[in-house]
Amino acid sequence: RRDLTRPADLIEELARLADFDTFAATLPTGPAGGLTAEQARVRRVHDVLRGQGLYQAMNLPFVGTDDLVAFGTVDAAGEPEGVVTVRNPLRDDLSMLRQSLLPGLLKNLRDNRNRGSEQVGLFETARVFFAEPWQEDSRVPDQPLRLGVAVTGPFGVSRLGDQPKHADAGTAFAVVAALATALGVDLVRRPTSPAGFHPTRSAELIVDGEPIGVAGELHPAIADQYELSDRVAIVELDLDRLVMLQPSAQMSPVSTYPHVDFDLSFEVAPEMAAADLIAGTTGVSPLVERARVFDDYRNPDTGLRAVAIRYRLRAQDRTLSGDEVAAERGKMIEKAAELGGALRGGSS
């Protein structure tokens, strides 16, 4: 038997003589492939965005100067900085590599609207490029992975007989909130106005104290540049940092004792963020289970804002007494005063 040259050949011959049907059909054990944790989280991001009603777009990375200026950093002469230039471009107006995903998505919106699509919601996950060495390979330009979202027209769920609400900054924040919930990320918003975004309807996205992107509404001038007449909700964030492994979720027991709800309304300066007011007032009490803003009114005479917050207190081991609730309420009012917020309607 000259064909038996290795142990596997002999084993196969014995198996043939014994009849292959006598062996159970099992898969061999060994090193397996599959997605990494980060890849699984990226796939989760895609699933969430599709669940929000968005479609995935895939654009080429080539852009022109106007696209770079709209959403990038420019020098004193108004020219884009840190640009990677293509040596042999197919077209002169597409001779550089993108620094943002939003120009490509806005062109997609424009093309869809021009073809009669009233409601368009798109997202893209791809790399952008900067003229500096990449940490993973210094021979090529820096190319972080980004997530971009652009939505225009009627969008979201509407009740029977009602018209859907048109996309705006709230749409962008809702999409980001859905992502944060799905990934188990604590995300904070902070007012900002980077290039291309509306100056008063945009916010920087903060995770673990580090900025990871921006969400809000497209600047009207940029909307005109891309021939978009309606408001456009846009998001762009660093996907690598968003999908980094987070600490395992820690479960806490559910209290079986009743909760206590109460409202506090504070007069605050126009520039104070409601998120800062909530963070400060809830941080003084370990009994706070939930807090949310249900009214935000600006007084046209004084210029002050009235922010109304509904708090929920609950203890794990007892029913809260009236004195306990009053004490926690008092600490919240004192903290708000330290932050510059005065209780409306008098003191506690």
Side-chain angles (χ1 to χ4, degrees):
R1 294 294 301 272
R2 295 180 180 180
D3 59 328
L4 301 182
T5 60
R6 52 183 181 158
D9 297 332
L10 181 58
I11 294 170
E12 182 182 13
E13 184 67 12
L14 292 173
R16 183 184 66 82
L17 294 173
D19 190 351
F20 287 111
D21 292 336
T22 62
F23 297 94
T26 59
L27 291 175
T29 58
L35 301 176
T36 66
E38 289 79 6
Q39 290 169 336
R41 289 171 70 84
V42 170
R43 184 166 293 184
R44 177 62 176 154
V45 168
H46 289 184
D47 291 342
V48 171
L49 294 175
R50 292 191 189 100
Q52 297 294 309
L54 304 176
Y55 292 90
Q56 185 173 7
M58 301 179 68
N59 292 303
L60 294 175
F62 308 111
V63 295
T65 302
D66 292 343
D67 297 323
L68 292 170
V69 170
F71 292 97
T73 304
V74 297
D75 57 22
E79 294 297 321
E81 293 183 340
V83 179
V84 179
T85 304
V86 181
R87 181 172 297 176
N88 297 310
L90 297 177
R91 289 167 45 184
D92 291 339
D93 59 340
L94 299 176
S95 61
M96 292 166 279
L97 296 184
R98 63 190 173 197
Q99 295 181 333
S100 169
L101 300 181
L102 293 176
L105 290 173
L106 294 178
K107 292 176 183 177
N108 297 149
L109 295 189
R110 179 192 62 199
D111 293 343
N112 278 274
R113 294 301 295 268
N114 289 344
R115 288 165 173 78
S117 297
E118 183 181 6
Q119 172 184 331
V120 188
L122 302 172
F123 75 92
E124 183 176 11
T125 56
R127 297 193 179 277
V128 297
F129 303 87
F130 299 91
E132 57 186 54
W134 193 21
Q135 291 184 351
E136 297 186 20
D137 188 345
S138 60
R139 297 171 297 177
V140 298
D142 186 31
Q143 42 192 288
L145 185 64
R146 294 276 183 85
L147 166 65
V149 175
V151 184
T152 188
F155 191 79
V157 178
S158 62
R159 295 182 178 181
L160 184 63
D162 293 341
Q163 293 296 324
K165 181 181 178 182
H166 280 242
D168 56 13
T171 305
F173 298 143
V175 170
V176 169
L179 280 177
T181 301
L183 296 176
V185 173
D186 292 328
L187 189 143
V188 178
R189 301 201 304 259
R190 183 169 62 194
T192 188
S193 56
F197 284 77
H198 195 288
T200 61
R201 299 174 186 167
S202 304
E204 190 173 35
L205 307 175
I206 311 296
V207 175
D208 294 334
E210 297 292 332
I212 67 165
V214 183
E217 200 169 302
L218 183 65
H219 195 289
I222 304 301
D224 291 340
Q225 177 180 326
Y226 288 94
E227 303 174 18
L228 296 168
S229 57
D230 290 346
R231 290 185 176 185
V232 181
I234 52 175
V235 178
E236 185 161 27
L237 49 82
D238 188 336
L239 190 58
D240 280 328
R241 298 176 67 181
L242 179 66
V243 301
M244 287 176 61
L245 287 177
Q246 302 292 321
S248 299
Q250 299 297 315
M251 308 303 291
S252 58
V254 177
S255 176
T256 59
Y257 293 89
H259 61 264
V260 177
D261 291 343
F262 60 87
D263 302 338
L264 293 176
S265 181
F266 301 101
E267 284 191 345
V268 299
E271 64 274 9
M272 174 177 281
D276 294 336
L277 183 61
I278 288 180
T281 53
T282 57
V284 300
S285 174
L287 300 176
V288 176
E289 182 177 272
R290 187 172 69 192
R292 66 177 182 87
V293 174
F294 67 89
D295 190 33
D296 192 340
Y297 169 74
R298 184 186 297 270
N299 190 318
D301 298 326
T302 64
L304 294 176
R305 288 168 55 212
V307 179
I309 304 174
R310 178 159 296 160
Y311 298 91
R312 172 168 291 183
L313 304 185
R314 192 195 310 253
Q316 289 287 342
D317 57 352
R318 66 189 185 282
T319 298
L320 293 175
S321 66
D323 292 340
E324 286 181 296
V325 174
E328 300 302 314
R329 182 175 179 275
K331 289 190 291 185
M332 293 176 180
I333 295 172
E334 292 177 3
K335 184 62 179 181
E338 294 178 10
L339 297 174
L343 181 68
R344 298 184 66 204
S347 64
S348 60

